[in-house]
Amino acid sequence: MANGMTLLKPAFVAEAKLQANLLGGSVDKAAVLKEIEAEVTSKPIVIYTYTLSPFSTEALAILDSTGYEYKQIELGAEWFLLGGKDSVKRLLLSEKVETGAT
């Protein structure tokens, strides 16, 4: 599965950029970046999730099993249901992650 996802990464990156440009054209990117910085410094562990994502559900289960305290921030139900601001946030977050995963 991981290899398949790696092969699809360029398509996901292009889609995220297109979605952010179409839906988030009037969004203040600097304000969203400030929001992200405040969120990621609010707890030692911060996880951004999608409500309907099985990957998010599994990641939360793993975190819960560790007993570590964390902060969960839901971007939306799923990536394709995001509005303008959260589409921009998704793109900006992908730029902060080495793998570009969103």
Side-chain angles (χ1 to χ4, degrees):
M1 175 73 99
N3 288 338
M5 295 304 276
T6 300
L7 294 173
L8 291 172
K9 180 182 171 190
F12 290 143
V13 170
E15 180 282 323
K17 287 179 181 178
L18 179 64
Q19 182 181 22
N21 287 330
L22 288 174
L23 299 177
S26 62
V27 173
D28 182 351
K29 291 182 176 101
V32 175
L33 272 173
K34 281 181 80 172
E35 184 176 303
I36 291 170
E37 292 305 320
E39 290 168 347
V40 299
T41 57
S42 66
K43 290 260 187 195
I45 300 171
V46 176
I47 183 169
Y48 290 86
T49 62
Y50 301 116
T51 310
L52 301 176
S53 168
F55 300 108
S56 293
T57 302
E58 184 64 23
L60 290 170
I62 291 168
L63 281 171
D64 287 339
S65 73
T66 67
Y68 288 114
E69 203 175 305
Y70 63 90
K71 179 176 185 172
Q72 176 188 358
I73 299 169
E74 294 213 10
L75 289 176
E78 203 32 282
W79 63 266
F80 54 86
L81 297 173
L82 298 177
K85 179 183 171 198
D86 289 326
S87 293
V88 169
K89 184 181 263 190
R90 172 184 175 225
L91 180 62
L92 294 173
L93 285 167
S94 74
E95 293 170 357
K96 292 184 166 292
V97 179
E98 186 177 313
T99 63
T102 56

